[in-house]
Amino acid sequence: MSAIRPVWVTRARPGADRTARRLSAQGFEPLVAPLLKIHALPVALDLSGVQALAFTSANGVAAFAALSDTRTLPVLAVGEATARAAREAGFAIIRSADGDLADLAAMIRAEARGLTIVHACAAEPAGDLSAAVGDAARIRTLPVYEARESGVAAPGAWDAVLIHSPRAGRALAANLAPKAAEGRVAVAISPAAAAPLERLPFAEVRVAAAPTEDALLAALGKPGVSV
C-alpha cells in the first residue's frame, strides 16, 4: 500500500494551490502553508514607446494584467508556467524561453534586439534582466508586486518541503527552527533557492535539474511505501 507523504508547500497563493493539486495527483499529501504573500504595488504605468513585455513569473503577469488592459504587446516569458499565465490573462503573442533568467536574456538578445521592453517583476527580482541583456535591448524594469513574509507557522507534520524561489528559501531559513529540519528533506527549484538552507540541518537538500516545477517535483521523487 502506498503511503501518503506529507509535503509542505511554501510558495504564495494562488501558485501554492496549483502545486498542491499536482502533489495530490501524484499521491502526496500537500500541506499548504505559504511563507510568502503577494502584494500588488501602486504603479504609474507608462507604455509609450514600449514594443514588448517581459515576465519572469506568473505573479508578474497577474499584477501587470490588473494594471493594464493592454494585451496586444508581444510577451517574452521566462518559462512555460509564466507563458501559460500570460495566455490565460489574454495575451496572444507569447514566446517562452523555457528556462531561467539567463535563458530569457539570451532569447531577447537573439530575437528582440533593439526593442524597448518593460520587465514587470517583483520589487526584489531574483536577477537583473537588464544587466543580463546588456545593450542588445532597452529593458525598463517595472516592479509591480512584492513578496512579503506571511508569518505562518510550519505544519505540524511534514516529511519534505518545496522551495520555489530564493525569496522563499530566505524566509524558511529565517523562520524555521533548526530542530524542525532534522530528518527532513528540502527540495529547491534552483541553487539560489537552496543556498539559504545551508544553515539548517536537513537530512538532504535536493536541487531541481532545471528551474521549473516539473523538475522540482521530479527531484521530490515518488511517495514512500508503507511497510
Side-chain angles (χ1 to χ4, degrees), residues 109-168:
R109 291 194 302 269
E111 302 179 16
R113 295 188 68 86
L115 297 188
T116 298
I117 302 168
V118 163
H119 176 208
C121 61
E124 296 182 32
D128 188 339
L129 182 63
S130 180
V133 169
D135 60 5
R138 294 174 292 279
I139 305 296
R140 294 184 191 172
T141 301
L142 181 70
V144 291
Y145 74 94
E146 66 179 353
R148 302 175 187 168
E149 291 190 17
S150 66
V152 72
W158 51 277
D159 295 335
V161 58
L162 299 182
I163 303 298
H164 278 75
S165 67
R167 185 73 180 81

Side-chain angles (χ1 to χ4, degrees), residues 9 14-28 30 32 217:
V9 182
D17 298 316
R18 293 193 295 269
T19 299
R21 289 192 291 270
R22 295 189 67 181
L23 287 169
S24 293
Q26 293 183 21
F28 293 97
V32 178
L217 296 185

Side-chain angles (χ1 to χ4, degrees), residues 97 100-112 129 132-133:
D100 57 14
L101 185 135
D103 296 308
L104 176 59
M107 185 176 76
I108 291 172
R109 291 194 302 269
E111 302 179 16
L129 182 63
V133 169

Side-chain angles (χ1 to χ4, degrees), residues 3-100:
I4 298 298
R5 184 179 192 177
V7 179
W8 179 11
V9 182
T10 64
R11 70 185 304 197
R13 283 189 161 100
D17 298 316
R18 293 193 295 269
T19 299
R21 289 192 291 270
R22 295 189 67 181
L23 287 169
S24 293
Q26 293 183 21
F28 293 97
E29 178 189 348
L31 305 173
V32 178
L35 291 173
L36 304 173
K37 293 183 70 174
I38 301 302
H39 294 263
L41 296 175
V43 175
L45 191 61
D46 179 10
L47 297 178
S48 58
V50 174
Q51 296 158 298
L53 302 171
F55 294 114
T56 43
S57 72
N59 290 323
V61 173
F64 179 89
L67 288 169
S68 173
D69 293 331
T70 297
R71 299 293 185 272
T72 56
L73 288 169
V75 166
L76 307 167
V78 69
E80 181 50 37
T82 303
R84 186 184 313 117
R87 285 192 292 270
E88 292 172 354
F91 292 96
I93 305 171
I94 302 165
R95 185 81 168 84
S96 172
D98 294 326
D100 57 14

